[in-house]
Amino acid sequence: MPYKGNPGANKLANVLSERMKREGEAPLVLDFGEILPDGSLVTNTFPVPVPKGDYSVLRSLTLGMVDDVLTTTSLKEDDGEHDGHLEGTGSHSHSILLPEKMRSVRPGDRVLVAWVQNEAVVVDIVTGS
């Protein structure tokens, strides 16, 4: 029903109405979820569990558990002296352990999920602090 006093206002109202309708139909891009004890994923907007293996996880969330060896460094004899290793050739290695902030996603984690078309992708672990 046109606004008789101002046809421009009616046209603007129609444009705004169409844009709001399109925005309301746009799919959700980001969501919160939780990893369940069996490894499945439940999100706030899709409460049906997505089985483990049917959703993706960013590579950085698959590195391992806390205190797993992330990598090993090595120091050769010709790399110079190193505190605490003055005897022998000086050649040695150190294991770099995975810290809590880099651990893999695990059951009970609250996660940020990106929806890419119809696939859920766990982006990161959400913490309270």
Side-chain angles (χ1 to χ4, degrees):
M1 171 164 89
Y3 182 70
K4 295 178 184 177
N6 189 341
N10 184 52
K11 186 173 183 175
L12 176 62
N14 287 335
V15 168
L16 292 175
S17 176
E18 283 300 313
R19 282 195 178 178
M20 288 188 299
K21 184 191 289 186
R22 281 195 309 254
E23 289 297 319
E25 294 170 355
L28 182 65
V29 177
L30 294 176
D31 199 357
F32 288 111
E34 182 178 347
I35 305 298
L36 299 180
D38 66 356
S40 61
L41 170 69
V42 171
T43 67
N44 290 356
T45 59
F46 191 72
V48 176
V50 179
K52 185 176 183 176
D54 286 354
Y55 61 89
S56 296
V57 179
L58 288 186
R59 177 180 56 183
S60 62
L61 293 176
T62 63
L63 295 175
M65 291 297 134
V66 175
D67 294 334
D68 285 353
V69 175
L70 178 62
T71 191
T72 303
T73 64
S74 62
L75 184 66
K76 296 178 276 189
E77 180 181 357
D78 59 351
D79 287 340
E81 289 185 1
H82 178 70
D83 289 343
H85 301 282
L86 301 176
E87 296 179 20
T89 66
S91 296
H92 64 281
S93 65
H94 292 277
S95 293
I96 308 300
L97 304 181
L98 193 70
E100 170 68 24
K101 290 187 176 188
M102 293 176 65
R103 69 168 170 80
S104 293
V105 67
R106 65 181 177 213
D109 283 341
R110 183 165 162 76
V111 294
L112 178 65
V113 177
W115 288 96
V116 180
Q117 296 173 351
N118 293 328
E119 184 176 356
V121 179
V122 176
V123 174
D124 207 350
I125 299 169
V126 177
T127 64
S129 55

